[in-house]
Amino acid sequence: MMLLMKIELLSHIDVLRSKNYSNIVIQFADGFAANKCNVEVIVPYIYRRDNIKVRDIFSYYGLKYKFKVRFLKTLLFRNSPKHLYTLFLLFANALRCFLLFIKYLLRLNRSGRIIIATANDILIPYIIFIKLLNANKIKIVPWEHEFHKRRRDFWVYQNSHGIITTNSVIKNEIVNQVGFSANKIILSYNPVSTARLSDRYDKTELRKKLGLNSNSPLVVYTGKLGIGIKENEYILASAELLPDYTFILTGGMPKVVRYYQNLLNKKGIKNVILTGFLHKYDDIKYYQYIADVLISYYSKYDINVKYNLPAKICEYMCTKNPIVTCDYPAIRDLLNENNALFVEPENPKALAEGIKRLMEDKELASRLAQNAYETVKEITFEKIAKKIIDFVKIL
């Protein structure tokens, strides 16, 4: 079958380490490829000892379809300063952009393509070259995970052919503050793979496999574990209020895990398990499936809660386990009173009460979990990618 279009997915996030958003980028590429697109992912190469092997990317992420992954050479390492990271990323993309448009100018390659980028800065050179060469066959589409108010971001929005946003809050901000047409914005959410919808595990057997032989109820959080993150502190405070429940928090480098383990020991909290960093992204789902209750409880002290749509939300919804969360605008595209339990933010006691309610009211927990699963059926990478393809065809 003839390929429909060429899509270049420019990411400011590298994919050789397991992270929520690196998984989303690479899985979206798989979704585009599933819809017969010619896909190339362009990502920075970050030097680390524990990088995924380049040859193992497709097996590591469980990808089903073939596409190209091109690495931009940088001088970036694990702990490179943020400003240096931005500078090298901009330079590497500008150089690539220059070579691309030299070919275009020399008529070596005048094929049409859609350029989707996860960061506005790296789109600036592409927009400039398109304007200089009147390269009308190349379409620019930023992919927004939050709303940026910098002057250069507004310039990128205003000079783009279309925009992808993860939620309707970001879309409305761009429409109202930038004046961009709502018809040229499409929602992507943070989907799941089609395979996740059919994943089912025996909780008892899976818990044994993970070395969890306790009969106590399991409360699970799969997100970022870091020193000073309020969300982590609230969850641990809730665990202290619910000593008969076992709390599991995934993630965290050794230094971070030691910090929290020492904190737990000082406070005498014995019902928390810290798994540490899980090097294979797919292993995270096992902890989501063994849960009796899943937590997403992010804080205004850590991120901009107005725009943030946690990547784990759709993953949680696949498990048929109930979700307790705080009510922030960005998640309202996915969650509501019929498929999740909302509790007051910035309040560990309210979180503990919500967890206890779901644990004790089995009928409520089951109903919310089943409704969440029915909602997420339509939010897969393949289905959302198809909608984006149909959207960009008419730009």
Side-chain angles (χ1 to χ4, degrees), residues 10-22:
L10 311 181
S11 174
H12 69 292
I13 303 163
D14 73 297
V15 299
L16 295 181
R17 187 178 177 209
S18 176
K19 295 179 181 178
N20 281 336
Y21 288 111
S22 60

Side-chain angles (χ1 to χ4, degrees), residues 51-84:
N51 272 350
I52 303 163
K53 302 296 183 184
V54 172
R55 66 176 180 272
D56 295 335
I57 287 177
F58 284 82
S59 60
Y60 180 88
Y61 285 102
L63 304 176
K64 196 174 178 182
Y65 301 91
K66 293 297 180 183
F67 54 88
K68 294 179 182 178
V69 181
R70 186 183 301 276
F71 291 92
L72 299 174
K73 297 299 182 182
T74 70
L75 296 177
L76 299 172
F77 294 85
R78 180 193 298 274
N79 297 317
S80 294
K82 187 175 180 180
H83 69 278
L84 189 62

Side-chain angles (χ1 to χ4, degrees), residues 143-357:
W143 182 12
E144 299 300 299
H145 291 262
E146 60 180 275
F147 177 62
H148 302 281
K149 299 180 181 180
R150 300 170 301 188
R151 183 177 299 179
R152 63 181 182 271
D153 294 300
F154 272 53
W155 184 84
V156 169
Y157 296 146
Q158 290 163 347
N159 288 279
S160 297
H161 297 90
I163 299 175
I164 302 168
T165 67
T166 57
N167 59 76
S168 58
V169 177
I170 301 172
K171 174 182 176 178
N172 293 337
E173 292 278 41
I174 294 174
V175 170
N176 295 330
Q177 295 199 40
V178 182
F180 200 84
S181 172
N183 294 330
K184 292 185 177 181
I185 303 177
I186 188 170
L187 303 183
S188 69
Y189 312 111
N190 289 317
V192 291
S193 65
T194 304
R196 282 294 298 265
L197 295 175
S198 56
D199 279 341
R200 287 294 168 264
Y201 302 95
D202 181 282
K203 278 191 180 182
T204 302
E205 291 302 315
L206 189 54
R207 288 178 181 183
K208 287 180 181 178
K209 182 179 177 180
L210 295 173
L212 300 166
N213 299 315
S214 171
N215 292 322
S216 65
L218 295 185
V219 182
V220 176
Y221 164 83
T222 61
K224 186 176 182 180
L225 188 71
I227 298 171
I229 294 179
K230 277 289 183 181
E231 180 177 23
N232 301 157
E233 295 172 6
Y234 291 151
I235 293 170
L236 296 181
S238 295
E240 188 173 12
L241 296 172
L242 298 170
D244 294 331
Y245 298 169
T246 297
F247 282 65
I248 301 176
L249 286 75
T250 65
M253 300 307 289
K255 177 183 176 181
V256 175
V257 173
R258 286 195 298 271
Y259 170 84
Y260 278 110
Q261 194 59 64
N262 289 336
L263 183 66
L264 291 169
N265 293 339
K266 286 179 182 178
K267 292 189 173 185
I269 302 173
K270 299 180 180 180
N271 60 325
V272 175
I273 297 172
L274 306 174
T275 70
F277 183 74
L278 300 175
H279 290 275
K280 190 169 183 180
Y281 188 86
D282 212 35
D283 289 346
I284 296 172
K285 72 177 181 181
Y286 300 132
Y287 289 93
Q288 294 170 348
Y289 276 100
I290 63 171
D292 292 300
V293 172
L294 291 161
I295 297 176
S296 177
Y297 197 72
Y298 51 107
S299 167
K300 65 182 179 182
Y301 296 106
D302 302 324
I303 54 175
N304 190 328
V305 295
K306 183 177 181 180
Y307 305 124
N308 182 60
L309 176 62
K312 59 181 171 282
I313 291 294
C314 282
E315 294 176 355
Y316 281 5
M317 295 169 78
C318 283
T319 65
K320 294 189 178 181
N321 292 326
I323 302 166
V324 60
T325 186
C326 36
D327 189 1
Y328 289 125
I331 64 171
R332 277 288 178 166
D333 288 322
L334 299 175
L335 298 181
N336 54 59
E337 287 79 2
N338 294 319
N339 60 18
L341 182 66
F342 293 116
V343 296
E344 183 182 342
E346 319 295 343
N347 185 340
K349 184 179 179 181
L351 175 59
E353 289 171 352
I355 293 168
K356 188 174 182 181
R357 182 182 174 193

